[in-house]
Amino acid sequence: MHHPENDPQYAGLAVNKGIVQPPSINPYLKKKQRKAYTPSEYIENILKGNITLLSQAVTLIESSKYEHQQIAQEIIEKCLPYSGNSQRIGITGVPGAGKSTSIDAFGMHLIHDKNRKLAVLAIDPSSERTKGSILGDKTRMEELSREPNAFIRPSPSAGSLGGVARKTRETIILCEAAGFDTIFVETVGVGQSETAVHSMVDFFLLIQLAGTGDELQGIKRGIMEMADGIIVNKADGSNVDKAKLAATQFKNALHLFPMPDSEWLPKVLTYSGYYKIGIPEIWQMVDEYFSFVKANGYFDFKRNNQAKYWMYESINEQLKSNFYQNENIEKALKIKEQQVLNSEISSFVAAKQMLDLYFGGTR
Ligand code: GDP
């Protein structure tokens, strides 16, 4: 192949032909087989707080293989009676708001000053940021990742938002059974994933920044309405006054919203995740919220509603994935799609024919 550097004028430079890489570095190096545990071994060890088996059970939850799902469901079922005893906290904020820095700081405070055990989960269906790699999340939360009382698990990377959310919800159950009394579910502050997180947590924390000028924008409004606490980050150095002003604006904006069902008036605080200023105050607010909603019955009401919601979500999701993963359906869909595109049949007729094919006239 001609290469510019091989031109005679570059007399001192000769580019050698590359070599074709062998298919594997060492074909004799066999993949280490992981010991297969029985569901009861998983359960026994999870209940003892064994992180390695907890982690492997979460991998089963995330797997799309049928056998893995079978074992995962059995583990979840048996862990369920030991779950529920935690504070489930959703944390959201736009990229750059300081979620990783803050979670690191919150986690260290909770573990060291409040003797808690913290699991950090995430819902990020696009998962572009870390490509679902554990290393990505470990470097994001540097201090916390070295803590034995912290369990950090990145977002399940594959699948629809519904699928990803279900897996995270199931992971919460296992983490609680393993003794984690505080669960963070983090999400990027864009799109619909907030709604999914909101449906699985007790308290929804929104991290905001001062001076972004979008305090009252459309999407944020929706998210603000879900928030039980708004915390303005980066209240440090010359930014303190701006952060306080933003907090006042958020407080005023909150007055425009109807009273939440919980009857808890969302609080607005300023803090610095990086310099660790104002963090105990945030957890005082969270604890106050829990005492408040436990006293007025909203805590149980919400958890029951969430359980109901997740039953329907699981049905919807399983029906959908069962349908789309069916080989006959897959083939027929391609044909129907083309017929619709060619205007040979209407979308509705195509849909009906597909469902008839799936249910085989049992409807
Ligand atoms: P994420 O995308 O929401 O996870 O945000 P990061 O935690 O990665 O933070 C984004 C940037 O903001 C990083 O450069 C952080 O160092 C910086 N940052 C985070 N928290 C603070 C803070 O409290 N004060 C200041 N000054 N910078 C912060």
Side-chain angles (χ1 to χ4, degrees):
M1 196 180 77
H2 175 74
H3 205 284
E5 276 99 348
N6 282 343
D7 198 278
Q9 59 169 314
Y10 295 110
L13 266 178
V15 176
N16 292 326
K17 241 177 88 190
I19 56 153
V20 177
Q21 291 294 330
S24 151
I25 296 170
N26 181 356
Y28 301 104
L29 199 68
K30 288 231 174 72
K31 254 194 166 173
K32 219 171 110 190
Q33 280 284 327
R34 201 182 250 184
K35 180 180 177 321
Y37 293 99
T38 63
S40 33
E41 281 174 316
Y42 274 114
I43 294 153
E44 200 179 302
N45 281 287
I46 289 172
L47 292 179
K48 278 192 211 149
N50 180 325
I51 302 290
T52 312
L53 265 81
L54 169 67
S55 215
Q56 288 183 20
V58 174
T59 305
L60 294 176
I61 290 181
E62 289 172 359
S63 165
S64 51
K65 277 200 186 139
Y66 179 75
E67 315 87 80
H68 291 169
Q69 277 304 314
Q70 290 289 97
I71 305 173
Q73 290 311 318
E74 189 174 340
I75 301 171
I76 295 163
E77 194 66 34
K78 298 267 167 56
C79 282
L80 211 50
Y82 304 94
S83 71
N85 198 13
S86 81
Q87 293 189 343
R88 301 171 181 168
I89 292 151
I91 298 182
T92 193
V94 292
K99 290 181 296 302
S100 326
T101 315
S102 304
I103 291 174
D104 213 20
F106 296 163
M108 295 307 281
H109 170 64
L110 290 172
I111 291 171
H112 291 286
D113 302 332
K114 294 173 90 78
N115 209 13
R116 303 268 197 97
K117 279 186 80 179
L118 171 69
V120 181
L121 314 176
I123 291 192
D124 181 8
S126 66
S127 225
E128 271 306 308
R129 182 186 46 193
T130 61
K131 296 255 184 314
S133 88
I134 294 177
L135 194 66
D137 276 40
K138 293 243 149 144
T139 45
R140 287 199 307 124
M141 294 154 203
E142 222 175 293
E143 283 193 281
L144 209 52
S145 62
R146 292 193 294 264
E147 276 299 325
N149 283 330
F151 175 69
I152 303 175
R153 186 84 187 185
S155 172
S157 49
S160 62
L161 174 60
V164 168
R166 175 179 60 80
K167 291 168 188 171
T168 303
R169 166 140 171 122
E170 291 175 346
T171 303
I172 292 180
I173 293 167
L174 300 198
C175 290
E176 288 174 348
F180 289 93
D181 53 22
T182 312
I183 314 279
F184 285 178
V185 186
E186 179 201 355
T187 189
V188 177
V190 281
Q192 294 172 308
S193 41
E194 280 78 18
T195 319
V197 172
H198 189 242
S199 66
M200 64 179 82
V201 298
D202 308 310
F203 187 94
F204 198 68
L205 198 54
L206 171 60
I207 299 182
Q208 287 280 31
L209 288 179
T212 45
D214 55 8
E215 280 83 353
L216 288 173
Q217 260 180 28
I219 329 174
K220 301 268 171 50
R221 246 190 101 99
I223 297 173
M224 262 178 78
E225 271 194 88
M226 290 193 266
D228 301 297
I230 296 178
I231 49 176
V232 184
N233 190 16
K234 309 196 186 180
D236 45 54
S238 57
N239 208 28
V240 173
D241 289 340
K242 270 196 269 175
K244 282 192 179 146
L245 179 66
T248 312
Q249 286 168 343
F250 287 127
K251 268 183 212 154
N252 292 339
L254 283 171
H255 287 307
L256 305 173
F257 296 143
M259 179 67 137
D261 292 343
S262 60
E263 295 180 357
W264 163 266
L265 281 175
K267 293 214 158 85
V268 185
L269 298 171
T270 60
Y271 78 108
S272 167
Y274 189 85
Y275 293 101
K276 303 191 173 167
I277 306 166
I279 290 170
E281 289 78 356
I282 295 174
W283 295 96
Q284 204 179 320
M285 161 179 77
V286 173
D287 286 339
E288 252 173 58
Y289 171 86
F290 277 91
S291 313
F292 182 83
V293 293
K294 279 189 175 165
N296 76 1
Y298 183 75
F299 178 84
D300 288 331
F301 170 80
K302 190 173 179 185
R303 283 224 173 159
N304 286 339
N305 262 343
Q306 288 175 336
K308 194 169 80 180
Y309 171 85
W310 281 99
M311 182 185 87
Y312 287 107
E313 274 297 298
S314 302
I315 295 175
N316 292 345
E317 200 231 322
Q318 307 243 337
L319 278 176
K320 217 157 100 179
S321 69
N322 199 282
F323 177 83
Y324 285 108
Q325 279 169 11
N326 180 308
E327 263 179 49
N328 291 336
I329 293 292
E330 248 180 274
K331 277 187 216 140
L333 264 178
K334 288 210 180 82
I335 299 166
K336 284 280 169 273
E337 193 184 295
Q338 203 49 52
Q339 289 178 336
V340 169
L341 290 175
N342 296 344
S343 307
E344 287 165 28
I345 50 172
S346 77
S347 322
F348 307 106
V349 170
K352 186 176 179 314
Q353 288 176 354
M354 286 308 305
L355 291 171
D356 283 344
L357 174 66
Y358 182 68
F359 287 107
T362 53
R363 290 194 298 152

